[in-house]
Amino acid sequence: MARLLLGVTGGIAAYKAVAFVRLATAAGHAVRVVQTPVSQRFVAPETFRAITGAPVLTDEFEPDPLRGAYPGDPLPTHAAISHLALVERADAYLIAPATANAIAGLAAGRADSLLSSAYLAADGPVLVAPAMNHRMWHHAATRRNVARIVEDGVTLVPPGSGRLASKGEAGDGRLAEPEELLAAVEAALAPRRDLDGVHVLVSAGGTREPIDAVRFVGNRSSGRMGYAVAARAAARGARVTLVAANVGLPDPPGCDVVRVATAEELRRACGAAFGDADVLVMAAAVADFRPVAPAAGKIKKAGRDELTITLEATTDVLSELAGRRRPGQTLVGFAAEHGPEALVHARGKLERKGLDAVVVNDVSLPGIAFDADHNAVTIVTAAGDEPVARAPKADVADAILDHVVRARTA
Ligand code: CTP
């Protein structure tokens, strides 16, 4: 049983939102509804009120007789100060139907109605189910807006294909069926526990190889991608060992964090945990070379016109671990590649290092990879390539872990 907030915008498919509310309440969920004024031309608030057993809100300044409570909740003794109490209490927020105009508003971050303000204030799962004419759905502006909200973390419940509201018109754009809407909401609510009891070893961050007592050869990895994998794996039930090389982020909850600085330290830490691990996700950027003879003190510049530092190759940790893998272990490597040959190089690494998957970052693309909150990757496996469109790193982490789960059950 969950608290669901349903946002209804002004489209003919609003009648299906009524069927959704019937299904959701029958399934035991407590539902509250917010409507845009235009949507009330299609379905009157009384209809939703009768089925949910709770008043419907439209206006940001309208007092809520239930003071932000959901059906079945005790009535709060004080009226909520914020008109956003409804979304704060919701376990999930579904906007269905979402018109092209509503999606444009969400993409732009407009807060011009209770429905759109609630969208901006939501910190739980948000699902958007578009419904519109097929030409509007395929318009470049709508494509752009939909891509933007997905990038912002929305779970899209894609429209189906078939007969549309306008006479004689058919195509994409029909609101997903009420059963599909409920399944999508329940999937977003259910914590996936598909890594229960699995030991996942993740490396993250970037190693630093000392030149002298104060300087090092390093790289630009922030550790965000590896931390997202560790956090999502723990949330999905895994026991996580996280080997963190120079990461300045808070520890992800539920992970056993081992801190390292150099490639050699990372090699030892991963080597110690690998024997017992079921899954290795090697997201760290490990130095390929290190100074042969780091100076004990600080190298002084006086009397030098130039300084030559000789580097030697480090051990390829991933290849070394792959060499001692036992049956049942799943190995995922990362590859930061630059430019159009990215996938070719990644396929080479998949084979050379004997991996189950290689996650390829094309670091030539703007706004992704290093120190960004979003990433766009391609997951390369022997079975083929799966592009993961630009999304928050937590979502990319889930896509990677979906592959791990599939590889383990294959
Ligand atoms: N890796 C590793 N140990 C190293 C270098 C890399 O374990 N000394 C791992 C990385 O963590 C990553 C994968 O190997 O998961 C691929 O790293 P990358 O540097 O892209 O591959 P290389 O084989 O070093 O190839 P390149 O010449 O492109 O650097």
Side-chain angles (χ1 to χ4, degrees):
M1 185 328 265
R3 293 181 184 82
L4 306 182
L5 180 62
L6 172 68
V8 181
T9 71
I12 192 100
Y15 75 91
K16 281 196 192 170
V18 177
F20 166 78
V21 173
R22 291 188 62 133
L23 273 183
T25 49
H29 300 298
V31 183
R32 294 282 317 253
V33 176
V34 295
Q35 283 192 264
T36 59
V38 178
S39 77
Q40 299 185 351
R41 293 209 219 153
F42 296 94
V43 178
E46 285 69 29
T47 308
F48 288 117
R49 190 182 48 73
I51 308 174
T52 60
V56 171
L57 300 186
T58 304
D59 194 88
E60 287 169 274
F61 303 102
E62 188 183 352
D64 177 8
L66 284 191
R67 299 172 175 167
Y70 279 68
D73 287 345
L75 189 68
T77 45
H78 293 290
I81 296 171
S82 163
H83 57 273
L84 301 170
L86 269 188
V87 76
E88 280 158 17
R89 284 173 192 232
D91 298 310
Y93 181 23
L94 167 69
I95 302 178
T99 60
N101 186 47
I103 294 170
L106 303 179
R110 270 205 296 274
D112 52 3
S113 67
L114 178 55
L115 185 143
S116 57
S117 304
Y119 171 76
L120 293 179
D123 53 10
V126 179
L127 299 94
V128 172
M132 65 196 75
N133 173 280
H134 66 109
R135 278 168 290 146
M136 294 169 77
W137 173 246
H138 286 295
H139 192 280
T142 307
R143 313 300 329 133
R144 207 164 47 232
N145 292 331
V146 168
R148 169 59 65 86
I149 61 169
V150 168
E151 199 180 304
D152 290 344
V154 158
T155 300
L156 189 75
V157 191
S161 208
R163 235 157 45 82
L164 298 172
S166 325
K167 199 161 180 230
E169 289 217 50
D172 300 332
R174 277 166 63 105
L175 180 66
E177 295 306 315
E179 294 76 10
E180 294 172 82
L181 294 174
L182 185 59
V185 169
E186 289 184 338
L189 287 171
R192 267 183 281 178
R193 301 293 297 184
D194 49 5
L195 287 170
D196 253 334
V198 177
H199 182 190
V200 177
L201 170 59
V202 182
S203 73
T207 61
R208 292 178 179 175
E209 310 305 320
I211 296 170
D212 64 13
V214 294
R215 305 178 180 94
F216 57 81
V217 179
N219 61 70
R220 292 175 51 204
S221 177
S222 66
R224 279 181 212 284
M225 192 62 240
Y227 267 46
V229 172
R232 290 304 307 147
R236 289 167 72 161
R239 175 159 75 84
V240 179
T241 305
L242 174 58
V243 175
N246 310 297
V247 181
L249 302 169
D251 290 354
C255 299
D256 183 10
V257 183
V258 183
R259 288 180 203 291
V260 297
T262 65
E264 189 51 32
E265 287 171 23
L266 181 137
R267 177 187 175 208
R268 270 189 250 122
C270 289
F274 182 69
D276 178 58
D278 303 299
V279 176
L280 169 67
V281 180
M282 197 72 183
V286 188
D288 288 327
F289 296 94
R290 67 170 161 243
V292 174
K298 183 180 172 211
I299 299 173
K300 304 300 281 180
K301 71 168 176 287
R304 295 178 196 270
D305 287 332
E306 60 179 33
L307 175 65
T308 304
I309 298 166
T310 307
L311 304 177
E312 64 181 356
T314 58
T315 307
D316 188 315
V317 182
L318 186 53
S319 301
E320 185 177 63
L321 296 176
R324 49 175 268 228
R325 75 191 287 178
R326 53 179 171 75
Q329 282 183 313
T330 305
L331 272 60
V332 179
F334 272 66
E337 302 287 356
H338 202 273
E341 294 291 288
L343 292 184
V344 179
H345 289 308
R347 243 169 256 127
K349 280 176 197 175
L350 183 79
E351 283 159 28
R352 215 172 42 245
K353 302 197 184 194
L355 307 174
D356 296 288
V358 171
V359 181
V360 191
N361 270 316
D362 183 348
V363 289
S364 65
L365 302 175
I368 61 159
F370 297 123
D371 214 5
D373 291 326
H374 288 73
N375 205 354
V377 301
T378 304
I379 303 173
V380 175
T381 66
D385 304 340
E386 187 207 334
V388 181
R390 191 183 136 95
K393 282 185 172 170
D395 293 353
V396 177
D398 269 325
I400 294 166
L401 292 170
D402 289 346
H403 268 275
V404 166
V405 169
R406 249 176 274 148
R408 287 178 52 74
T409 49

